């Protein structure tokens, strides 16, 4: 999924040689802040009385929410995208050595200290559409790596 809001940021920070944007270079706090907003997910969780605090426990709580968003085919991909970005935010903030890595074209992934990359947006989209994999499961696998 492309993130058009990253276009202007990328124009100012992307390497001239076309190498992937890596949050370990440049402004990692700005990238992390931008990707952690997840406004739609936070709003929907709040409607169910869940405040997302960027903790692994909040991922478990999200897994337990009734999937009302599946009734709205227009909202589902946006909520899934937010769920993936939120998953990535929790991983980056709590798993030592995990960083955001943005590929050209705006595709964010989380890179673990081992070098393994987690396709968090795809995991979020799958979770929103089918409930699997659970966000807490993806987190647990990342934390073990």
């Amino acid at each position: 999924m492309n993130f058009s809001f990253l276009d202007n940021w990328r124009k100012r920070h992307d390497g001239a040689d076309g190498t992937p944007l890596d949050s370990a270079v440049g402004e990692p706090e700005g990238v992390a802040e931008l990707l952690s907003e997840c406004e739609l997910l936070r709003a929907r969780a709040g409607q169910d009385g869940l405040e997302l605090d960027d903790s692994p426990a909040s991922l478990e709580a999200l897994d337990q929410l009734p999937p009302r968003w599946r009734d709205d085919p227009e909202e589902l991909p946006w909520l899934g995208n937010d769920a993936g970005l939120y998953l990535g935010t929790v991983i980056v903030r709590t798993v030592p050595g995990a960083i955001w890595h943005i590929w050209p074209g705006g595709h964010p992934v989380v890179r673990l200290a081992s070098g393994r990359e987690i396709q968090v947006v795809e995991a979020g989209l799958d979770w929103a559409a089918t409930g699997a994999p659970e966000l807490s499961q993806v987190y647990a696998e990342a934390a073990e790596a």
Side-chain angles (χ1 to χ4, degrees):
M1 187 172 234
N2 272 336
F3 297 94
S4 58
F5 61 85
L6 287 175
D7 287 343
N8 288 335
W9 188 92
R10 188 179 310 104
K11 286 177 188 172
R12 293 190 313 266
H13 297 89
D14 201 4
D17 61 357
T19 57
L21 251 180
D22 193 323
S23 66
V25 180
E27 299 176 20
E29 296 84 17
V31 171
E33 182 180 334
L34 197 61
L35 297 176
S36 71
E37 289 180 0
C38 314
E39 289 181 34
L40 179 60
L41 180 69
R42 291 180 190 276
R44 295 297 173 262
Q47 290 172 347
D48 283 321
L50 174 60
E51 183 178 340
L52 301 180
D53 62 1
D54 301 347
S55 70
S58 66
L59 295 172
E60 293 175 15
L62 277 172
D63 288 336
Q64 302 306 312
L65 288 181
R68 293 185 190 101
W69 54 84
R70 291 187 193 144
D71 297 334
D72 186 347
E74 290 185 25
E75 183 173 292
L76 189 141
W78 293 106
L79 190 119
N81 184 70
D82 272 11
L85 294 176
Y86 183 72
L87 169 63
T89 295
V90 174
I91 294 170
V92 166
R93 291 186 176 168
T94 61
V95 174
I99 60 170
W100 283 108
H101 186 80
I102 312 293
W103 286 99
H107 183 76
V109 297
V110 171
R111 180 175 287 166
L112 302 176
S114 66
R116 178 177 160 224
E117 290 185 348
I118 300 174
Q119 305 286 331
V120 291
V121 172
E122 286 79 0
L125 291 167
D126 289 345
W127 173 82
T130 67
E134 289 186 336
L135 300 174
S136 59
Q137 176 187 355
V138 176
Y139 174 83
E141 291 170 7
E144 290 175 6

